[in-house]
């Protein structure tokens, strides 16, 4: 499956991230949760944790560059969206929350993906 556009790359990366999470016993609750404050790529649940996952997909192998794109401002937006989600879904009131980042790297030469998962990648930004 050769990737030909940034949209295809992002969609393929997010799909790979979901597959990875399911394989590792996470329960996918929601994908692409959107409100006016922003979007969260994937929301999963595991062991009484509600986990908000930001996925960064890159076609070059720079994990640091992908992580750098989860800026303070982006973290603040994700935190606000997570707060909205929690208010709308009181069934998760007894869960701890966590913010993870998954970096998906695509090697176009070999048409292969690799995944790096960063649990607890950042703390909620409250200001």
């Amino acid at each position: 499956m050769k990737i030909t556009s940034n949209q295809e790359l992002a969609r393929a990366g997010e799909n790979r991230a979901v597959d990875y999470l399911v394989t590792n016993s996470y329960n996918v609750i929601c994908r692409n949760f959107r409100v006016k404050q922003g979007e969260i790529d994937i929301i999963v649940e595991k062991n009484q944790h509600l986990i908000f996952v930001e996925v960064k997909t890159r076609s070059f192998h720079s994990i640091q560059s992908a992580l750098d794109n989860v800026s303070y401002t982006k973290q603040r937006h994700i935190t606000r969206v997570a707060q909205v989600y929690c208010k709308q879904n009181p069934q998760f009131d007894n869960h701890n929350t966590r913010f993870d980042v998954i970096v998906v790297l695509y090697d176009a030469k070999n048409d292969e993906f690799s995944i790096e998962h960063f649990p607890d990648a950042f703390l909620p930004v409250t200001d």
Side-chain angles (χ1 to χ4, degrees), residues 60-89:
F60 53 90
H61 293 171
S62 176
I63 292 172
Q64 190 58 52
S65 171
L67 290 172
D68 289 346
N69 279 312
V70 186
S71 66
Y72 179 83
T73 301
K74 180 74 172 173
Q75 292 173 25
R76 187 173 64 231
H77 287 291
I78 293 169
T79 300
R80 288 180 180 163
V81 176
Q83 290 170 336
V84 170
Y85 185 84
C86 289
K87 284 180 185 170
Q88 291 179 0
N89 293 277

Side-chain angles (χ1 to χ4, degrees), residues 75-122:
Q75 292 173 25
R76 187 173 64 231
H77 287 291
I78 293 169
T79 300
R80 288 180 180 163
V81 176
Q83 290 170 336
V84 170
Y85 185 84
C86 289
K87 284 180 185 170
Q88 291 179 0
N89 293 277
Q91 69 269 30
F92 297 112
D93 283 350
N94 293 325
H95 283 59
N96 294 311
T97 57
R98 191 174 89 196
F99 296 88
D100 290 8
V101 174
I102 291 181
V103 177
V104 181
L105 299 175
Y106 175 63
D107 179 354
K109 180 180 174 185
N110 297 315
D111 195 32
E112 294 177 349
F113 290 87
S114 62
I115 293 176
E116 293 289 335
H117 182 193
F118 298 90
D120 251 337
F122 62 91

Side-chain angles (χ1 to χ4, degrees), residues 20-83:
Y20 166 85
L21 290 164
V22 169
T23 298
N24 286 283
S25 302
Y26 290 84
N27 181 30
V28 177
I29 304 297
C30 183
R31 290 181 67 170
N32 304 115
F33 178 74
R34 288 183 180 93
V35 292
K36 69 178 181 173
Q37 292 87 344
E39 175 191 10
I40 294 177
D41 295 327
I42 306 169
I43 302 171
V44 295
E45 185 268 337
K46 183 177 182 180
N47 300 330
Q48 284 299 111
H49 281 81
L50 187 63
I51 305 157
F52 301 95
V53 182
E54 175 70 8
V55 179
K56 291 296 181 189
T57 306
R58 297 291 181 265
S59 59
F60 53 90
H61 293 171
S62 176
I63 292 172
Q64 190 58 52
S65 171
L67 290 172
D68 289 346
N69 279 312
V70 186
S71 66
Y72 179 83
T73 301
K74 180 74 172 173
Q75 292 173 25
R76 187 173 64 231
H77 287 291
I78 293 169
T79 300
R80 288 180 180 163
V81 176
Q83 290 170 336

